[in-house]
Amino acid sequence: MPCYAIDGVIPVVHPSAYVHPTAVLIGDVIIGPGCYVGPLASLRGDFGRIVLHEGANVQDSCVMHGFPASETVVEANGHIGHGAVLHGCVVRHDALVGMNAVVMDEAEVGAYSIVAACAFVRAGLKLPEKSLIAGLPAKVMRPLSEDEIKWKLAGTQTYQDLTLRCLASMQEVPPLAAQEADRPKLPTQLHKPRAAGLAGK
């Protein structure tokens, strides 16, 4: 993976984490155990610190950055969907930030909450636990049900599984010229999208 020191500060990646080779880590980045960082993600710790706690995932093309002396943190089991932007904020444990959502400086997403896809969480907004958050600007729509909280956890566990699969079998290969007659299938995933369209994953 492209990994860069700046001002003598070197990124830290726990051996049990998986960071895709196209993701970029710069400076004060700390990636904890069992984390997943997807293709083309950019974690820029050139001003402030970037931290992923145990079991968190940051998916394809996400950006994490912050102002000088800030910390941008995803706590344990945090789940950051494709294309999301986190800037100087905190995503509390077991929360989900949906695809292409933006969470701004000094905002906090409460534990077990879900920020819907494409939501904009304004700077300084403190969001409660176990809530569905959506809109431009984002606001609390309603409390989450226990079933929805379990659904989110199952999705995060799927990414924790993916971390193990990537560590065990991900490798760069040339493409095949044609499909094999006995082409293998990927392992069955039991986690399914919610028809209600809560947040995207």
Side-chain angles (χ1 to χ4, degrees), residues 134-184:
L136 295 163
K139 63 182 180 180
V140 176
M141 307 303 284
R142 60 173 173 80
L144 290 174
S145 68
E146 287 304 312
D147 180 58
E148 288 166 333
I149 291 169
K150 286 179 186 172
W151 171 81
K152 181 271 164 197
L153 178 58
T156 301
Q157 288 168 338
T158 299
Y159 269 88
Q160 290 166 351
D161 236 15
L162 179 60
T163 298
L164 299 175
R165 289 171 56 209
C166 290
L167 289 170
S169 70
M170 178 81 79
Q171 57 185 302
E172 187 171 359
V173 296
L176 300 173
Q179 179 178 326
E180 321 96 297
D182 57 348
R183 185 171 179 81

Side-chain angles (χ1 to χ4, degrees), residues 68-130:
S70 68
E71 288 200 3
T72 307
V73 179
V74 179
E75 292 187 345
N77 294 331
H79 190 110
I80 312 303
H82 317 292
V85 176
L86 306 182
H87 203 275
C89 59
V90 177
V91 177
R92 296 292 180 198
H93 69 87
D94 295 283
L96 180 153
V97 175
M99 294 183 275
N100 291 312
V102 175
V103 184
M104 291 298 293
D105 303 276
E106 299 182 2
E108 289 184 18
V109 177
Y112 303 101
S113 285
I114 293 176
V115 175
C118 298
F120 178 80
V121 178
R122 63 176 171 77
L125 187 63
K126 311 298 185 199
L127 294 162
E129 296 185 355
K130 299 183 178 180

